[in-house]
């Protein structure tokens, strides 16, 4: 793993402070709402996911680290659903009671399946749709796992090399770098939604 990847990982780690500060600002108000509880779960999962991604990437275990990008995006997608429903606190209470978000409906009456949330979020964040499709390929056995475990050895001889290892020996550092930058971007988006909710709490009349 090269220095550029390590520097990117350090920038991702530094966002722990941003996440924690976002949480402090949110709960500074004595008034607590159901959405605060959901937001707290999102922030807690965010810190855990960042920690796991950093550890796995440094251990050259990209196949497992890549799964966490999808989980991190899931955090953003499902929390963003609170912005497209009629009553975000009622939505939060339903989630807290165990109802699945993909069974709930938004203000337009549409069920909030992942694909629907991706479509809605992509209006403001166009990269979401591509990232969702790409990272879903790591969750289920796919061509990505094949390409990450094989490499062309000799084109003329038509031979390939196989890797069966705890470390992803055939993963390019550029891929690790892009993945880490995605984690940073998703984290920033999550914190943006948290700050948006905090602002709303402080300015209910607006």
């Amino acid at each position: 793993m090269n220095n550029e990847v390590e520097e990117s990982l350090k920038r991702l780690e530094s966002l722990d402070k941003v996440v924690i500060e976002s949480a402090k600002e949110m709960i500074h108000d004595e008034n607590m709402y159901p959405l605060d509880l959901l937001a707290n779960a999102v922030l807690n999962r965010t810190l855990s996911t960042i920690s796991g991604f950093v550890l796995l990437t440094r251990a050259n275990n990209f196949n497992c680290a890549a799964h966490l990008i999808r989980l991190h995006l899931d955090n953003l997608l499902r929390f963003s659903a609170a912005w497209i429903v009629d009553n975000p606190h009622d939505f939060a209470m339903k989630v807290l009671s165990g109802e699945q978000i993909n069974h709930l409906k938004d203000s337009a009456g549409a069920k909030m399946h992942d694909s629907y949330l991706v479509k809605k979020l992509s209006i403001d964040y166009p990269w979401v749709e591509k990232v969702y499709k790409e990272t879903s390929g790591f969750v289920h056995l796919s061509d990505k796992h094949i390409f990450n475990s094989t490499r062309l050895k000799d084109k003329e001889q038509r031979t390939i090399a196989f890797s069966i290892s705890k470390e992803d020996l055939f993963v390019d550092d550029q891929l690790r770098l892009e993945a880490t930058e995605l984690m940073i971007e998703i984290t920033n988006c999550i914190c943006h939604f948290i700050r948006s909710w905090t602002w709303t709490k402080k300015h209910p009349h607006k």
Side-chain angles (χ1 to χ4, degrees):
M1 188 175 69
N2 63 31
N3 291 335
E4 193 175 7
V5 176
E6 177 58 31
E7 288 303 312
S8 186
L9 287 171
K10 288 179 180 178
R11 287 198 295 113
L12 176 59
E13 284 182 308
S14 71
L15 290 179
D16 281 5
K17 295 179 181 178
V18 178
V19 172
I20 293 170
E21 284 303 313
S22 297
K24 288 180 178 178
E25 290 176 12
M26 181 183 71
I27 63 175
H28 181 70
D29 191 335
E30 292 181 357
N31 296 316
M32 294 292 291
Y33 301 88
L35 193 57
D36 286 312
L37 299 177
L38 184 60
N40 180 77
V42 168
L43 291 172
N44 184 67
R45 192 184 186 202
T46 294
L47 287 181
S48 298
T49 305
I50 289 174
S51 175
F53 178 86
V54 170
L55 286 171
L56 289 168
T57 302
R58 284 182 174 145
N60 290 323
N61 192 344
F62 184 77
N63 275 335
C64 282
H67 285 234
L68 297 183
I69 305 172
R70 177 66 181 77
L71 291 181
H72 206 32
L73 183 59
D74 179 79
N75 234 6
L76 173 61
L77 283 176
R78 293 174 182 241
F79 189 55
S80 72
W83 272 255
I84 60 174
V85 296
D86 285 325
N87 189 321
H89 302 303
D90 180 58
F91 164 76
M93 286 302 298
K94 288 179 179 178
V95 176
L96 292 171
S97 67
E99 292 193 47
Q100 295 182 24
I101 293 176
N102 62 351
H103 291 169
L104 302 177
K105 295 181 179 180
D106 72 351
S107 58
K111 283 191 176 182
M112 297 186 289
H113 298 289
D114 280 0
S115 58
Y116 183 76
L117 294 176
V118 167
K119 181 180 177 181
K120 298 293 286 188
L121 195 58
S122 293
I123 294 173
D124 294 318
Y125 304 98
W127 51 267
V128 166
E129 186 170 6
K130 181 180 179 181
V131 172
Y132 178 83
K133 289 179 180 178
E134 290 292 321
T135 55
S136 292
F138 283 103
V139 175
H140 307 290
L141 184 63
S142 69
D143 60 320
K144 294 185 183 299
H145 299 101
I146 297 173
F147 292 129
N148 285 348
S149 62
T150 59
R151 176 173 290 177
L152 182 63
K153 188 174 182 180
D154 190 310
K155 187 175 182 180
E156 292 184 359
Q157 296 294 323
R158 299 177 68 184
T159 58
I160 59 174
F162 292 92
S163 171
I164 301 177
S165 171
K166 293 179 181 179
E167 296 186 358
D168 296 312
L169 304 177
F170 295 163
V171 174
D172 189 271
D173 276 338
Q174 182 60 33
L175 189 56
R176 301 182 207 277
L177 179 61
E178 291 173 359
T180 306
E181 292 298 317
L182 277 175
M183 289 291 291
I184 291 172
E185 184 66 22
I186 295 170
T187 304
N188 285 332
C189 288
I190 290 172
C191 289
H192 171 75
F193 274 94
I194 296 292
R195 288 191 294 268
S196 176
W197 161 232
T198 300
W199 188 93
T200 301
K201 283 180 66 178
K202 292 180 179 179
H203 306 86
H205 57 286
K206 295 184 179 181

